[in-house]
Amino acid sequence: PDPQKKGQNDTITASRTLNKQISGGKIKVVAKYGIITVLDQTYDVCDLVKEIGKSCPIPAGPLSGSGTTAVPKDIPGGKYTADITGTDQSGGKLVCLQATCHV
C-alpha cells in the first residue's frame, strides 16, 4: 500500500529473467529518509534466495519471489527511498533498482 502503515506488514514481490546461472554475488541496499541514510547493508545473494525457497546455483531463466517485512511503528512518517544494486559471482551487473515509498 502507499502510504505504508506503521506497525503493519508489507509484502514485496519481485521477478526477473536470469540470462546465466548465478552461483554467488552481492546485493547492496541503501535506504534513506530524506538525506539521512537509515540502512546501508550488503547481502550475499545465496543467503537472500534461501528466503524465497531457492538455493545457489540459481539456474538461468525466470526467477520470482516475495517477502514480508514489518513496518516499524515508531519510525517517522514521510518519504523513504532505496537504491538496490547487485553483482553476480563475476562482478557483472545483476540488479539496479530505485524504489520510493511513503509511510
Side-chain angles (χ1 to χ4, degrees):
D2 190 13
Q4 295 176 318
K5 306 292 185 201
K6 295 179 186 183
Q8 294 185 3
N9 288 340
D10 186 31
T11 299
I12 300 168
T13 301
S15 63
R16 69 162 297 156
T17 299
L18 300 174
N19 295 327
K20 62 180 180 179
Q21 178 176 284
I22 304 299
S23 60
K26 301 290 181 192
I27 303 289
K28 181 173 178 70
V29 179
V30 178
K32 294 185 177 189
Y33 174 67
I35 62 169
I36 301 167
T37 299
V38 295
L39 176 69
D40 186 344
Q41 185 74 40
T42 301
Y43 302 92
D44 181 88
V45 168
C46 294
D47 290 340
L48 285 177
V49 297
K50 287 178 188 174
E51 295 180 19
I52 60 169
K54 309 284 186 195
S55 62
C56 284
I58 309 161
L63 176 68
S64 63
S66 63
T68 301
T69 186
V71 179
K73 56 184 166 183
D74 56 354
I75 64 170
K79 179 181 174 182
Y80 289 80
T81 59
D83 291 317
I84 303 166
T85 56
T87 54
D88 64 18
Q89 66 275 0
S90 303
K93 188 185 290 187
L94 190 57
V95 64
C96 181
L97 171 71
Q98 293 181 320
T100 301
C101 70
H102 298 86
V103 176

